[in-house]
Amino acid sequence: MNLDQIIGQKALVNQLKIIIASNRTGHAYAFSGPSGMGKRTIALAYAKALLCAGCKPGSVCLPCRTFLEGTNPDFYEVATDKQSIGVDSIRAMQEDMANRPTYGNRKVYFIDNAQQMTIQAQNCLLKTLEEPPEYAVILMSVTSFDALLPTVRSRTVNLRLNPYSDDEMLQILQPIYTLDKNEWDFIIRFSRGIPGNAIHLIEEGSVRDLRQLVFKLLEKPDDIQLAEEVRKTLSESKTDLPIVLDILLSIYRDCMMVLEGMENRLINSDKKDMIIWIASKISKRKLLDKAKAMEEIRRSFEMNINHQLGVDVLLMEIQEV
């Protein structure tokens, strides 16, 4: 993909084009943002542009052609099948840097999910960042720039990706998936401008099933059998709990929109009648308290609270509406 084909991130793409046009390329860049934002896609488009030898209309230059084929010797990606990126991976990259470019005046190195680098790996990388070869450009994708050591951050330009607009999300997703309007409305708003979240919602289906369960329990909080079904579902899957927290927060947010007279801004627009019914039974103060409780539960899970205890507390919150 070329930079011109990137949907959204206009300010960032323009910044990259200016860097290339001015021939003032730095030695290290980090594309930062949540998982699913397309950091890798933009980083690779930038890498291709940096290596391009000047494509002519109707033809593709040798560096670009080999880049697309995955055989360009001036592009190197740090890859690992482990949970972390160790010092050996960085040393192997540094060994490759000892060789000058084959085609042009640059070599581009890409470290995907750079937050997975161990401290030893980052300190090893720091040696290169302090005295990089004049032809080396290091690109990284990272979920949080702060996950890198301060010494690494100080020598790296942070290029942060911002959430995509609703229109941009549709431009990205509609050529791939066919959904009805209600489904699109929910998926686009619930995914918070992150394409990866939307793709997960569409392809997994589990989020929609969990959402259906939550709404059923909100409608019938005294249904013991239904409550047990929700408890069983959440008890068997730790990954479902954060999703249910997000669903509940979206519902509380929608209730607040109703109370503020902004019903046209609902995330769960296909459940509008249910949202209005819940909002009629709860005050703004109570909604804020519940949203705060959800965030506290989330923090507790991040601190490894007893899973079953967390499930029981979450169920109580749902049934109190």
Side-chain angles (χ1 to χ4, degrees):
M1 180 177 285
N2 299 323
L3 287 174
D4 287 334
Q5 295 173 302
I6 299 291
I7 296 172
Q9 307 299 334
K10 291 181 180 178
L12 174 55
V13 170
N14 286 336
Q15 183 180 353
L16 298 177
K17 289 180 178 179
I18 290 171
I19 290 171
I20 294 172
S22 63
N23 199 26
R24 294 182 179 178
T25 306
H27 286 291
Y29 298 89
F31 294 85
S32 64
S35 296
M37 285 293 291
K39 300 183 295 294
R40 177 185 174 83
T41 298
I42 294 180
L44 293 181
Y46 185 41
K48 180 174 176 288
L50 287 170
L51 295 171
C52 180
C55 294
K56 298 293 189 288
S59 66
V60 180
C61 69
L62 179 60
C64 283
R65 189 175 76 245
T66 52
F67 182 89
L68 294 171
E69 293 170 350
T71 59
N72 189 315
D74 295 333
F75 178 74
Y76 184 104
E77 181 171 356
V78 174
T80 179
D81 56 0
K82 299 177 182 178
Q83 292 295 316
S84 61
I85 299 172
V87 67
D88 289 344
S89 296
I90 302 304
R91 285 174 180 159
M93 180 186 79
Q94 291 168 331
E95 287 178 10
D96 185 87
M97 280 187 192
N99 302 313
R100 296 190 67 83
T102 300
Y103 294 139
N105 59 359
R106 290 195 187 103
K107 295 188 76 171
V108 179
Y109 296 83
F110 178 50
I111 307 173
D112 201 9
N113 293 309
Q115 73 278 356
Q116 294 179 350
M117 283 191 293
T118 63
I119 291 176
Q120 292 83 356
Q122 292 194 51
N123 281 322
C124 185
L125 176 64
L126 181 60
K127 296 175 184 178
T128 298
L129 296 179
E130 289 174 337
E131 297 182 14
E134 75 278 3
Y135 49 78
V137 180
I138 299 171
L139 308 181
M140 293 176 271
S141 74
V142 61
T143 53
S144 172
F145 192 59
D146 290 336
L148 302 176
L149 293 175
T151 47
V152 173
R153 296 200 305 267
S154 67
R155 292 165 175 82
T156 304
V157 177
N158 182 21
L159 301 170
R160 179 165 180 78
L161 277 69
N162 294 311
Y164 293 81
S165 70
D166 290 357
D167 287 342
E168 289 167 348
M169 291 284 284
L170 289 172
Q171 286 180 55
I172 294 169
L173 298 166
Q174 282 187 328
I176 310 171
Y177 305 101
T178 301
L179 303 172
D180 64 37
K181 185 179 183 304
N182 281 339
E183 280 189 294
W184 276 125
D185 287 346
F186 168 69
I187 286 168
I188 294 300
R189 293 177 183 178
F190 191 75
S191 57
R192 304 188 304 277
I194 301 176
N197 286 354
I199 291 170
H200 177 76
L201 284 170
I202 294 168
E203 295 188 350
E204 294 298 322
S206 59
V207 175
R208 282 173 282 181
D209 294 339
L210 285 170
R211 176 171 169 262
Q212 198 67 24
L213 268 179
V214 170
F215 269 105
K216 283 182 180 179
L217 191 55
L218 286 169
E219 187 176 7
K220 299 178 180 178
D222 298 326
D223 189 323
I224 297 175
Q225 184 176 349
L226 184 57
E228 283 303 313
E229 183 181 353
V230 175
R231 178 179 282 106
K232 182 175 183 295
T233 298
L234 296 181
S235 298
E236 292 176 351
S237 175
K238 290 185 178 181
T239 58
D240 285 343
L241 269 165
I243 296 172
V244 170
L245 286 169
D246 285 341
I247 291 169
L248 283 168
L249 283 168
S250 77
I251 292 170
Y252 297 153
R253 178 260 187 204
D254 282 354
C255 288
M256 186 64 77
M257 291 295 102
V258 169
L259 294 176
E260 293 289 346
M262 293 185 282
E263 296 177 12
N264 61 325
R265 296 179 58 185
L266 301 186
I267 292 174
N268 302 276
S269 57
D270 58 323
K271 302 287 186 181
K272 181 177 178 180
D273 291 344
M274 184 65 182
I275 295 293
I276 292 173
W277 179 78
I278 296 171
S280 70
K281 297 179 174 295
I282 196 166
S283 66
K284 292 181 184 178
R285 180 70 263 170
K286 186 68 173 177
L287 280 172
L288 292 173
D289 289 343
K290 282 191 163 293
K292 182 179 178 181
M294 292 298 101
E295 294 296 350
E296 288 175 355
I297 292 173
R298 190 195 301 278
R299 283 192 292 272
S300 296
F301 278 117
E302 290 172 353
M303 296 172 63
N304 296 317
I305 188 179
N306 178 276
H307 182 73
Q308 192 56 54
L309 174 61
V311 170
D312 292 338
V313 172
L314 186 56
L315 275 172
M316 288 174 59
E317 281 293 331
I318 296 174
Q319 292 175 297
E320 277 182 5
V321 173

